[in-house]
Structure formats: C-alpha cells, structure tokens
Amino acid sequence: MARLIQLTILFIQFYYYYYITTTAHGLSSNGTTFLLDSSRSAMILPLFLSPPNPCTKFSSTRRLLQRSNGNNALPNARMRLHDDLLINGYYTTRLWIGTPPQRFALIVDTGSSVTYVPCSSCEQCGRHQDPKFQPDLSSTYQSVKCNIDCNCDDEKQQCVYERQYAEMSTSSGVLGEDIISFGNLSALAPQRAVFGCENMETGDLYSQHADGIMGLGRGDLSIVDHLVDKGVINDSFSLCYGGMGIGGGAMVLGGISPPSNMVFSQSDPVRSPYYNIDLKEIHVAGKPLPLNPTVFDGKHGTILDSGTTYAYLPEAAFVSFKDAIMKELHSLKPIRGPDPNYNDICFSGAGSDISQLSSSFPAVEMVFGNGQKLLLSPENYLFRHSKVHGAYCLGIFQNGKDPTTLLGGIVVRNTLVLYDRENSKIGFWKTNCSELWERLHVDGAPPPAPSSSNGNNSNTEMPPSMAPGDQKHYGLPDEKKIGKITFEMMLNVNYSDLKLHISELAESIAQELGINISQVYILNSMEKGNASYIEWAVVPSGSADCISNVTALSIIARVAEYHMHLPDTFGSYHLINWEIKASAKRTWWQQHFLLVVLASAVTFIFGLLAFGIWFIWRHRQRALNPYKPVDAVVTEQELQPL
C-alpha cells in the first residue's frame, strides 16, 4: 500500500511539472507584431507572424523534460557562413534537402521562425542562386497533411505557412518534410525536418540572390526547436560573423563549451518572442550616455536579429549616441553618404586600414544588467563608404518612433554569439571569426580557412555523401599531374547581355575560386536559345607545371556543388561537364628553358661588364703613355748596365 501511495505522489509531481513547463514554453512561442523603421531594405525581421501558424503538430513541449538529462555529449552541426553585410546585407549558410540532396543558400535569421526554400511549383518566385526545390525528385519528401493544429490550404489538403517582414516583403507556401543535411563539416547526421516549400514571394525576398531563409528563432517550425525536440542537439546555437573587410564566418547548431572570458546577458523568453538581451547602458569613449536605463526596455526591449544589417536605437538613445560619437571625432571631415536617398552620417580621413580605426573612432561599450560589459570596436558600429576611399559611416540609426532597440549583424562582427536557450542567456566573445575553430580548440573541428588575396573563403562545403577526400568521385588522377581543368556550363542570361561583360567573367570566376586571374581562360562562348553556353579552363599558377590534387578538388567541388557565386550580371549557372587533363611531359628544353635563359642573361651581363672594365683600363693606359713622333726631342736617359 505504501508503495502505491509513493507512486501516486510521483505521478502527481510529474504531471504538475509537465503542465507548468509546457505552459511556460507556450508563452515564448506566441506570434507578435513587430513594427520597425523600414527605410533600409537590408532589414530582414518578422513584422507579422500572421495568421498565427504554430502548427502544434510539431510541438516542442518535450524540451524542458529533456533538459534534465544533462547530456552534453550530443553532436552539433558546424557550418560555414558566406557573403557579408555591406554587399549582400546578410549572411548565408548551406543546407541540402532531399534524397538525393538538393543544395540551397539560406539567410541565417534569428528573427524568423520558419525555414523555407522556393518550390518548383512557384510561379511568383525570383531568380535565385540555386535551382528551386523539386519534391518529385526526392524519394524521401512528404507533404504535411492538413490537420487541426495547422493552417490549411483552401482545399484542406496541406498545411501552409505565411510570413511578412519589416520591409514589407512576404513569403508563403506549403509545409513539407524531408531529409536535411548540414554539410561535410557537421558531426550531426542528416535529419528529417519540416520546412516551407515556397509558392509565392514579394519584395526583397523576390529580388535577393539567396534562395530563402533559415529560421533560427523560437517557434514550433524553427529548425533549432525541431532538432532539440528530437533530442539530437542541445538547446543552443552560435553565430560568428566575419569582420568589415573579410565577410563569411561560422555557425554551430547545438552546444559548445563557452570560452572562459565570454560576456553574458540574460535573455528572457517570456519578455519577447525574439532573442533579447538586458541592455542598461551604452558608453562612448568610457563615458556613459545620459539616458534612463528604461530607454532600452521599450516595447520588445533590446532585440538581437542576425537577419538585420544595421542597428536601430530609440530616438533619445540614437541622438545621444550620435552626439557622443561626433564629439570624439576631431581630425575627421564630415561628408555626404554614398546613397543620396539616405541622410547617412559619414566621415573621411580615417584611412583604409581597418585595424587602425580605433585611433580615429572611439570605443563603445554595452553594459548589461549583470554589470558585464561588451566592448564594441569601430567595425561594430561603422560601415565602409562605398564611394570615398578611407571614409566610414555610422551603421546605427534611429528606429523611427518605435521604442524597440534592434541590434543587427553589424554589432556582432568578429564576435561569437552563443544563444544559450537552455539557460536563457546570450554570450558574446570577441574573436576572429575566420579562425573560430582554432581559437575555440574544439576537438574534431575543421581547420581555419586559408586566407586568400581577395579575402574570400575558398574552402569547399559538400553534403555528407560527397566528402572532400573522395577524389575518385571527381575523377582526379591518382598518379598523373593535373595540367588543366575545363568546364562547360550554361549561364541563365541572354548571350547579347553576356558579351558586354565577357571580359569580367574570368575575373569573377577567379575571385570565387580564390585563384589568380591569370589561371582562368575563357575558351568558348555562344548563344543557346535564351541562355548562353560557355567553356572555360583553369591552368597552373605562375611557373608551376601542374595543379595539386587538393586545389583541383576544391575548384571542382566548388563549381560542381554550385558554391560559386557569380554576379547577377551572369545569372545562375548550370554545370554540363568538366574534364581533367594531365600535364604533358615536357622536353629537357621546356623544363630548363628559364634556367638557360637566366644563365645566358647572367653570362651576357658579366661579359659586358668585363669588356667595359677592359675598355676603361685601356683608355687610361693610352692617356698615361701618349704617342710621340720619331723626331720628337726626348730627355736623355741614363744607360743601365747590361
């Protein structure tokens, strides 16, 4: 009997805990309206999560029960970031969906709660980086059938989603489920997950180069929530954006060990559906702004949004911040901004060396409620002027009349941001994001990306089924040296337009592949209907007689896996074929040509020098012993004994 009473008490405790925790989680996933200043199109933040579409079939009410297991050994998905803030206005990562995998470049957005890609059935989708997702070509795709827990289409057949963003762009479509892969750097195996198959997009979503959005926010459709609910990762993720002159970066889905000197701020999931921090003060040049701390707590508080380019402060905070910055700029000259449509605050005379900006611009600190401070270097509140060399503009603006403080990607350049959702806090650690893995000393982490002359990250990402070491997959020769790699592809652009920019194509290809422009040759181009056919080749650099297998693999994989991002001028590309040609065996003369030429040049120079010395010596000798005629009077010389 006593045993039965104990079991009954345990059951009541379990039920009470389950009810409380699931109710608390429900508060954090409600959709809200978030009105922001939409004057800058680079902002990507949910404006309406309407109609409310929690689709609780994928409920995350199990998460708090799973947290108690203390399992810190779960794998994570380590993924590279591409693009940058100034040119693109966003950062993207790569996801592969379906079987076989179809690749997509998605904007990482902590302000969105759904991941979606253009669907093959979409007639109102723009032309993006990669082909649309084709459900019919995936053997593992399943549509999410209409049920009482989701919004359904007019035919009551499928679940649907709809999103609207601050700059008034929209996305809508149906929900599907398929295998999602995270790339060859990931220790996390491919997982089944729900995503949006887009059937309509408007505004910036229609015109952007990226394919879609990777929703990292809180919500039942969030890819983070979905992976946590399945118990395959810890309830955490991290983002690390590259610096002003670098771009790219890294991200981690799942937990990592925070560095010892990481700065933390509390993040209350009940305060807002977005990721917020407890900001209390801003210091400029060591002096606090004369503001009431409650100015940063208006409406949704202080929000971190990775999909927003710049930072936006409430009116009082912006005016105070701007005035404090301008008081510290003694040697710089105010100039007009790069875009006449905006009243940007810009200054010239700082020089082009980003590492020296701190000598011209003051340091800024954000002070959190726990007293910890996050130091912001000039690259965390400035953007480079696109028309004046050595000029910079404030990347922090007034958020209209909205009292919300919005911190976009510019604030966290070269900063590892740890979204520790399990412990309701967000950590910040200043670091070089291009060397993140090395600096974190993560076991099994990939090595830092090698730097190139143009700052682009040339490392290759592939789905797990295409590991970098699988050279035979790409037909690389095991013994022969690689002398040339030729590619045939179709460009989704009219040939008459291509001809106007054909000279720029080789430069764009070289930049994307991280090689020298002298290594890329355009061999042939012609018109193919409304598209263009092009054949081009990569040859060894400089005096090298071959391309290394590692370099060849990186080049081929980058092109074959559609990681090469050509400018919009050339449209998207479709690879037809590539061919590897072994380097021809060179004759003795070809192998030693440069050596012979060099030796001949040296011999000629030394010979010329010797002749010059002899000529000068001979001339001087004639000057010392001038010629005398036969009848000339000479001084009688003393005879010497024989």
Side-chain angles (χ1 to χ4, degrees), residues 569-642:
T569 305
F570 306 109
S572 58
Y573 72 89
H574 172 70
L575 181 62
I576 301 174
N577 185 37
W578 75 79
E579 182 181 1
I580 298 174
K581 296 184 178 180
S583 58
K585 186 176 181 180
R586 299 193 298 176
T587 64
W588 182 93
W589 173 251
Q590 291 174 324
Q591 293 177 358
H592 300 89
F593 174 76
L594 289 179
L595 183 61
V596 171
V597 171
L598 181 61
S600 301
V602 171
T603 302
F604 175 77
I605 292 173
F606 274 100
L608 189 62
L609 182 63
F611 176 78
I613 294 173
W614 176 83
F615 181 81
I616 295 172
W617 176 82
R618 183 71 174 172
H619 180 72
R620 287 183 177 179
Q621 286 298 109
R622 289 181 176 180
L624 293 174
N625 301 290
Y627 170 77
K628 297 179 177 60
V630 175
D631 57 349
V633 178
V634 296
T635 305
E636 183 177 353
Q637 298 184 9
E638 182 180 356
L639 295 176
Q640 298 294 328
L642 295 174

Side-chain angles (χ1 to χ4, degrees), residues 371-437:
Q372 292 189 300
K373 298 178 180 179
L374 173 63
L375 176 65
L376 302 183
S377 59
E379 72 172 348
N380 296 126
Y381 63 84
L382 298 173
F383 65 92
R384 201 194 303 266
H385 198 295
S386 60
K387 296 181 179 178
V388 179
H389 185 71
Y392 300 87
C393 307
L394 280 185
I396 296 182
F397 306 93
Q398 181 178 330
N399 195 13
K401 296 300 181 181
D402 194 317
T404 299
T405 299
L406 175 61
L407 304 180
I410 192 173
V411 176
V412 290
R413 278 171 165 166
N414 272 336
T415 305
L416 173 65
V417 183
L418 171 60
Y419 295 80
D420 187 352
R421 307 183 348 155
E422 182 171 352
N423 297 299
S424 298
K425 61 182 182 179
I426 296 177
F428 303 88
W429 185 55
K430 297 293 292 183
T431 184
N432 185 334
C433 289
S434 64
E435 301 173 359
L436 176 65
W437 311 124

Side-chain angles (χ1 to χ4, degrees), residues 538-554:
V538 176
V539 299
S541 61
S543 59
D545 61 349
C546 67
I547 304 172
S548 70
N549 275 26
V550 173
T551 302
L553 178 65
S554 174

